[in-house]
Amino acid sequence: MNEEPTQLLASVRQFGIQLSATPRGARLARLLAVEQLRTWELDAVADAAAQIVAELANNAATHGHVSGRDFQLAMFALPDVLRIEVTDTRAERLPVVCPHGDGESGRGLVLVDALASRGWGVLLGPPPRKTVWAQVELAPPGRALS
């Protein structure tokens, strides 16, 4: 019998937590994300990821807040990318980028756009949820990020 070698799928490290949609919950999201990245030994992207989590969690607590409903933080570390997701329950309030700093909302998303080396976006659903995601490139083993 001719057997082909089995290729193992790369493992995906994942982290998720539900937090109160408050400023305290947003701060806790950033702190927990940094600690998880340390555990995964992803120190090279920890600063960028912490800033992204801080902005997305703050937006969820400020603009995505519905009384009695929490937001969720999820992170997925694949071999070449870290994906950060923040889900809230205000799908009707989509993020808007204000690149020139005019207006109260959207200025922080300029930072997310700059730090998310593999892009960012929004997924809607299931109602009433929306998930804002951002991806940061991870350096392959033996190569540092510039």
Side-chain angles (χ1 to χ4, degrees), residues 45-74:
V45 297
D47 289 342
Q51 290 292 328
I52 291 170
V53 168
E55 179 58 32
L56 298 183
N58 185 58
N59 284 353
T62 304
H63 306 293
H65 175 75
V66 174
S67 184
R69 295 186 185 167
D70 298 333
F71 74 92
Q72 296 174 349
L73 166 66

mmCIF file of all heavy atoms in Angstrom, residues 45-74:
data_model
loop_
_atom_site.group_PDB
_atom_site.id
_atom_site.type_symbol
_atom_site.label_atom_id
_atom_site.label_comp_id
_atom_site.label_asym_id
_atom_site.label_seq_id
_atom_site.Cartn_x
_atom_site.Cartn_y
_atom_site.Cartn_z
ATOM 1 N N VAL A 45 5.748 41.649 18.909
ATOM 2 C CA VAL A 45 4.549 42.361 18.467
ATOM 3 C C VAL A 45 3.687 42.838 19.637
ATOM 4 O O VAL A 45 2.607 43.374 19.428
ATOM 5 C CB VAL A 45 3.688 41.492 17.509
ATOM 6 C CG1 VAL A 45 4.461 41.176 16.239
ATOM 7 C CG2 VAL A 45 3.192 40.243 18.202
ATOM 8 N N ALA A 46 4.175 42.649 20.855
ATOM 9 C CA ALA A 46 3.360 42.959 22.041
ATOM 10 C C ALA A 46 2.964 44.432 22.109
ATOM 11 O O ALA A 46 1.817 44.744 22.456
ATOM 12 C CB ALA A 46 4.078 42.530 23.307
ATOM 13 N N ASP A 47 3.871 45.340 21.797
ATOM 14 C CA ASP A 47 3.541 46.768 21.884
ATOM 15 C C ASP A 47 2.458 47.149 20.875
ATOM 16 O O ASP A 47 1.483 47.826 21.226
ATOM 17 C CB ASP A 47 4.783 47.631 21.666
ATOM 18 C CG ASP A 47 5.748 47.570 22.836
ATOM 19 O OD1 ASP A 47 5.342 47.153 23.937
ATOM 20 O OD2 ASP A 47 6.922 47.945 22.646
ATOM 21 N N ALA A 48 2.630 46.730 19.628
ATOM 22 C CA ALA A 48 1.633 47.041 18.602
ATOM 23 C C ALA A 48 0.293 46.403 18.947
ATOM 24 O O ALA A 48 -0.757 47.042 18.860
ATOM 25 C CB ALA A 48 2.109 46.561 17.230
ATOM 26 N N ALA A 49 0.325 45.143 19.361
ATOM 27 C CA ALA A 49 -0.910 44.445 19.703
ATOM 28 C C ALA A 49 -1.598 45.093 20.901
ATOM 29 O O ALA A 49 -2.830 45.224 20.923
ATOM 30 C CB ALA A 49 -0.619 42.969 19.975
ATOM 31 N N ALA A 50 -0.828 45.517 21.892
ATOM 32 C CA ALA A 50 -1.407 46.170 23.073
ATOM 33 C C ALA A 50 -2.114 47.463 22.683
ATOM 34 O O ALA A 50 -3.199 47.758 23.199
ATOM 35 C CB ALA A 50 -0.324 46.442 24.114
ATOM 36 N N GLN A 51 -1.522 48.235 21.791
ATOM 37 C CA GLN A 51 -2.151 49.478 21.335
ATOM 38 C C GLN A 51 -3.440 49.189 20.572
ATOM 39 O O GLN A 51 -4.444 49.895 20.732
ATOM 40 C CB GLN A 51 -1.182 50.270 20.445
ATOM 41 C CG GLN A 51 -0.019 50.855 21.187
ATOM 42 C CD GLN A 51 -0.447 51.956 22.147
ATOM 43 O OE1 GLN A 51 -1.400 52.672 21.907
ATOM 44 N NE2 GLN A 51 0.239 52.062 23.259
ATOM 45 N N ILE A 52 -3.418 48.155 19.731
ATOM 46 C CA ILE A 52 -4.617 47.784 18.969
ATOM 47 C C ILE A 52 -5.720 47.331 19.919
ATOM 48 O O ILE A 52 -6.866 47.777 19.813
ATOM 49 C CB ILE A 52 -4.283 46.693 17.932
ATOM 50 C CG1 ILE A 52 -3.401 47.285 16.821
ATOM 51 C CG2 ILE A 52 -5.558 46.086 17.349
ATOM 52 C CD1 ILE A 52 -2.807 46.253 15.883
ATOM 53 N N VAL A 53 -5.380 46.440 20.858
ATOM 54 C CA VAL A 53 -6.379 45.971 21.825
ATOM 55 C C VAL A 53 -6.930 47.142 22.622
ATOM 56 O O VAL A 53 -8.144 47.245 22.836
ATOM 57 C CB VAL A 53 -5.783 44.893 22.762
ATOM 58 C CG1 VAL A 53 -6.713 44.609 23.935
ATOM 59 C CG2 VAL A 53 -5.499 43.610 21.985
ATOM 60 N N ALA A 54 -6.058 48.040 23.064
ATOM 61 C CA ALA A 54 -6.506 49.192 23.851
ATOM 62 C C ALA A 54 -7.524 50.017 23.070
ATOM 63 O O ALA A 54 -8.573 50.403 23.613
ATOM 64 C CB ALA A 54 -5.310 50.046 24.260
ATOM 65 N N GLU A 55 -7.241 50.292 21.814
ATOM 66 C CA GLU A 55 -8.145 51.113 21.010
ATOM 67 C C GLU A 55 -9.462 50.389 20.735
ATOM 68 O O GLU A 55 -10.546 50.968 20.902
ATOM 69 C CB GLU A 55 -7.479 51.505 19.688
ATOM 70 C CG GLU A 55 -8.361 52.332 18.790
ATOM 71 C CD GLU A 55 -8.857 53.626 19.421
ATOM 72 O OE1 GLU A 55 -8.145 54.219 20.246
ATOM 73 O OE2 GLU A 55 -9.982 54.050 19.090
ATOM 74 N N LEU A 56 -9.391 49.127 20.313
ATOM 75 C CA LEU A 56 -10.615 48.401 19.979
ATOM 76 C C LEU A 56 -11.470 48.145 21.223
ATOM 77 O O LEU A 56 -12.701 48.251 21.164
ATOM 78 C CB LEU A 56 -10.288 47.090 19.265
ATOM 79 C CG LEU A 56 -9.561 47.218 17.918
ATOM 80 C CD1 LEU A 56 -9.376 45.848 17.287
ATOM 81 C CD2 LEU A 56 -10.286 48.169 16.978
ATOM 82 N N ALA A 57 -10.832 47.830 22.342
ATOM 83 C CA ALA A 57 -11.581 47.609 23.581
ATOM 84 C C ALA A 57 -12.197 48.909 24.081
ATOM 85 O O ALA A 57 -13.345 48.921 24.551
ATOM 86 C CB ALA A 57 -10.673 46.992 24.639
ATOM 87 N N ASN A 58 -11.450 50.004 23.991
ATOM 88 C CA ASN A 58 -11.993 51.304 24.384
ATOM 89 C C ASN A 58 -13.192 51.674 23.515
ATOM 90 O O ASN A 58 -14.201 52.172 24.015
ATOM 91 C CB ASN A 58 -10.915 52.378 24.310
ATOM 92 C CG ASN A 58 -11.434 53.706 24.820
ATOM 93 O OD1 ASN A 58 -11.878 53.813 25.950
ATOM 94 N ND2 ASN A 58 -11.397 54.718 23.966
ATOM 95 N N ASN A 59 -13.091 51.415 22.206
ATOM 96 C CA ASN A 59 -14.229 51.688 21.318
ATOM 97 C C ASN A 59 -15.431 50.836 21.697
ATOM 98 O O ASN A 59 -16.570 51.319 21.680
ATOM 99 C CB ASN A 59 -13.849 51.436 19.862
ATOM 100 C CG ASN A 59 -13.001 52.545 19.290
ATOM 101 O OD1 ASN A 59 -12.789 53.578 19.920
ATOM 102 N ND2 ASN A 59 -12.484 52.327 18.097
ATOM 103 N N ALA A 60 -15.199 49.561 22.036
ATOM 104 C CA ALA A 60 -16.300 48.679 22.434
ATOM 105 C C ALA A 60 -16.960 49.189 23.716
ATOM 106 O O ALA A 60 -18.187 49.169 23.838
ATOM 107 C CB ALA A 60 -15.795 47.251 22.624
ATOM 108 N N ALA A 61 -16.151 49.661 24.655
ATOM 109 C CA ALA A 61 -16.689 50.149 25.924
ATOM 110 C C ALA A 61 -17.364 51.508 25.771
ATOM 111 O O ALA A 61 -18.322 51.805 26.481
ATOM 112 C CB ALA A 61 -15.574 50.238 26.967
ATOM 113 N N THR A 62 -16.887 52.323 24.846
ATOM 114 C CA THR A 62 -17.417 53.678 24.680
ATOM 115 C C THR A 62 -18.553 53.736 23.666
ATOM 116 O O THR A 62 -19.640 54.226 23.963
ATOM 117 C CB THR A 62 -16.292 54.637 24.228
ATOM 118 O OG1 THR A 62 -15.238 54.573 25.173
ATOM 119 C CG2 THR A 62 -16.804 56.064 24.112
ATOM 120 N N HIS A 63 -18.310 53.230 22.468
ATOM 121 C CA HIS A 63 -19.278 53.356 21.373
ATOM 122 C C HIS A 63 -20.137 52.109 21.193
ATOM 123 O O HIS A 63 -21.207 52.185 20.598
ATOM 124 C CB HIS A 63 -18.558 53.673 20.063
ATOM 125 C CG HIS A 63 -17.667 54.861 20.159
ATOM 126 N ND1 HIS A 63 -18.143 56.140 20.358
ATOM 127 C CD2 HIS A 63 -16.312 54.974 20.109
ATOM 128 C CE1 HIS A 63 -17.129 56.984 20.419
ATOM 129 N NE2 HIS A 63 -16.011 56.304 20.283
ATOM 130 N N GLY A 64 -19.658 50.963 21.670
ATOM 131 C CA GLY A 64 -20.399 49.717 21.505
ATOM 132 C C GLY A 64 -21.133 49.294 22.757
ATOM 133 O O GLY A 64 -21.694 48.205 22.818
ATOM 134 N N HIS A 65 -21.143 50.148 23.750
ATOM 135 C CA HIS A 65 -21.739 49.817 25.047
ATOM 136 C C HIS A 65 -23.263 49.792 24.980
ATOM 137 O O HIS A 65 -23.886 50.716 24.469
ATOM 138 C CB HIS A 65 -21.294 50.833 26.097
ATOM 139 C CG HIS A 65 -21.952 50.647 27.420
ATOM 140 N ND1 HIS A 65 -21.597 49.634 28.278
ATOM 141 C CD2 HIS A 65 -22.965 51.322 28.019
ATOM 142 C CE1 HIS A 65 -22.358 49.704 29.363
ATOM 143 N NE2 HIS A 65 -23.192 50.722 29.221
ATOM 144 N N VAL A 66 -23.822 48.715 25.486
ATOM 145 C CA VAL A 66 -25.255 48.596 25.726
ATOM 146 C C VAL A 66 -25.379 48.139 27.171
ATOM 147 O O VAL A 66 -24.721 47.167 27.568
ATOM 148 C CB VAL A 66 -25.913 47.575 24.776
ATOM 149 C CG1 VAL A 66 -27.368 47.358 25.142
ATOM 150 C CG2 VAL A 66 -25.782 48.020 23.323
ATOM 151 N N SER A 67 -26.205 48.810 27.942
ATOM 152 C CA SER A 67 -26.341 48.474 29.360
ATOM 153 C C SER A 67 -26.641 46.986 29.548
ATOM 154 O O SER A 67 -27.523 46.436 28.895
ATOM 155 C CB SER A 67 -27.460 49.318 29.975
ATOM 156 O OG SER A 67 -27.544 49.059 31.356
ATOM 157 N N GLY A 68 -25.845 46.358 30.421
ATOM 158 C CA GLY A 68 -26.040 44.950 30.719
ATOM 159 C C GLY A 68 -25.370 43.991 29.752
ATOM 160 O O GLY A 68 -25.469 42.783 29.920
ATOM 161 N N ARG A 69 -24.683 44.500 28.742
ATOM 162 C CA ARG A 69 -24.010 43.638 27.764
ATOM 163 C C ARG A 69 -22.508 43.879 27.802
ATOM 164 O O ARG A 69 -22.048 45.003 27.914
ATOM 165 C CB ARG A 69 -24.531 43.882 26.352
ATOM 166 C CG ARG A 69 -25.984 43.492 26.202
ATOM 167 C CD ARG A 69 -26.407 43.610 24.768
ATOM 168 N NE ARG A 69 -27.850 43.340 24.641
ATOM 169 C CZ ARG A 69 -28.535 43.620 23.554
ATOM 170 N NH1 ARG A 69 -27.941 44.168 22.512
ATOM 171 N NH2 ARG A 69 -29.799 43.348 23.508
ATOM 172 N N ASP A 70 -21.758 42.808 27.673
ATOM 173 C CA ASP A 70 -20.304 42.850 27.718
ATOM 174 C C ASP A 70 -19.720 42.907 26.311
ATOM 175 O O ASP A 70 -20.452 42.860 25.323
ATOM 176 C CB ASP A 70 -19.770 41.597 28.425
ATOM 177 C CG ASP A 70 -20.240 41.505 29.870
ATOM 178 O OD1 ASP A 70 -20.514 42.551 30.473
ATOM 179 O OD2 ASP A 70 -20.316 40.375 30.387
ATOM 180 N N PHE A 71 -18.406 42.995 26.229
ATOM 181 C CA PHE A 71 -17.714 42.825 24.949
ATOM 182 C C PHE A 71 -16.759 41.646 25.090
ATOM 183 O O PHE A 71 -16.463 41.194 26.198
ATOM 184 C CB PHE A 71 -16.995 44.105 24.503
ATOM 185 C CG PHE A 71 -15.737 44.428 25.262
ATOM 186 C CD1 PHE A 71 -14.505 43.977 24.818
ATOM 187 C CD2 PHE A 71 -15.777 45.203 26.414
ATOM 188 C CE1 PHE A 71 -13.340 44.280 25.510
ATOM 189 C CE2 PHE A 71 -14.621 45.521 27.104
ATOM 190 C CZ PHE A 71 -13.398 45.054 26.658
ATOM 191 N N GLN A 72 -16.314 41.131 23.972
ATOM 192 C CA GLN A 72 -15.403 39.989 23.968
ATOM 193 C C GLN A 72 -14.110 40.348 23.259
ATOM 194 O O GLN A 72 -14.121 41.027 22.237
ATOM 195 C CB GLN A 72 -16.035 38.796 23.260
ATOM 196 C CG GLN A 72 -17.261 38.274 23.957
ATOM 197 C CD GLN A 72 -17.954 37.183 23.162
ATOM 198 O OE1 GLN A 72 -17.656 36.944 22.007
ATOM 199 N NE2 GLN A 72 -18.903 36.520 23.795
ATOM 200 N N LEU A 73 -13.017 39.871 23.834
ATOM 201 C CA LEU A 73 -11.699 39.983 23.227
ATOM 202 C C LEU A 73 -11.258 38.579 22.843
ATOM 203 O O LEU A 73 -11.379 37.655 23.652
ATOM 204 C CB LEU A 73 -10.692 40.581 24.209
ATOM 205 C CG LEU A 73 -9.214 40.446 23.829
ATOM 206 C CD1 LEU A 73 -8.888 41.265 22.576
ATOM 207 C CD2 LEU A 73 -8.325 40.851 24.995
ATOM 208 N N ALA A 74 -10.763 38.424 21.629
ATOM 209 C CA ALA A 74 -10.201 37.138 21.190
ATOM 210 C C ALA A 74 -8.902 37.420 20.448
ATOM 211 O O ALA A 74 -8.779 38.430 19.746
ATOM 212 C CB ALA A 74 -11.176 36.395 20.284
#
